[in-house]
Amino acid sequence: QNQQYDVQVKKLIAENYLYLGNHKKAKSKYSEVYLYDSTDTEISYSLGTIFEQEGNLATASKWLEKVVAINPNNPYYLKKAA
């Protein structure tokens, strides 16, 4: 239960870094959280979006493909990954 709390706190920290435009720290924190919960589409989507914004489209695509693999029926994710 403490681990789930830690994951949620780290996700919030990552979101704040992203909001502040600190992609390096956001990627680091999201990657850390991904190790605990690789099924959370929000984490993979956020990482994909960060890499896309940085122009690293190959890596962005890999993260967005993970999102679609986890949730293949979400039309938004399907469109984004296309």
Side-chain angles (χ1 to χ4, degrees), residues 31-60:
S31 295
E32 185 180 337
V33 174
Y34 181 81
L35 296 174
Y36 292 101
D37 188 0
S38 62
T39 63
D40 186 328
T41 55
E42 189 178 318
I43 296 166
S44 296
Y45 181 80
S46 295
L47 283 164
T49 301
I50 292 168
F51 281 107
E52 181 182 46
Q53 290 173 354
E54 293 178 340
N56 189 338
L57 300 182
T59 303

Side-chain angles (χ1 to χ4, degrees), residues 17-78:
Y17 282 137
L18 184 58
Y19 177 77
L20 294 171
N22 191 331
H23 288 179
K24 184 177 180 179
K25 286 187 177 183
K27 283 190 300 190
S28 175
K29 196 56 70 178
Y30 276 125
S31 295
E32 185 180 337
V33 174
Y34 181 81
L35 296 174
Y36 292 101
D37 188 0
S38 62
T39 63
D40 186 328
T41 55
E42 189 178 318
I43 296 166
S44 296
Y45 181 80
S46 295
L47 283 164
T49 301
I50 292 168
F51 281 107
E52 181 182 46
Q53 290 173 354
E54 293 178 340
N56 189 338
L57 300 182
T59 303
S61 179
K62 289 178 184 176
W63 281 107
L64 294 172
E65 287 171 6
K66 289 179 185 202
V67 172
V68 172
I70 296 167
N71 190 352
N73 297 320
N74 186 315
Y76 182 76
Y77 292 152
L78 289 170

Side-chain angles (χ1 to χ4, degrees), residues 7-26:
V7 167
Q8 292 301 318
V9 170
K10 289 176 183 182
K11 264 179 69 174
L12 287 172
I13 292 169
E15 290 169 10
N16 281 307
Y17 282 137
L18 184 58
Y19 177 77
L20 294 171
N22 191 331
H23 288 179
K24 184 177 180 179
K25 286 187 177 183

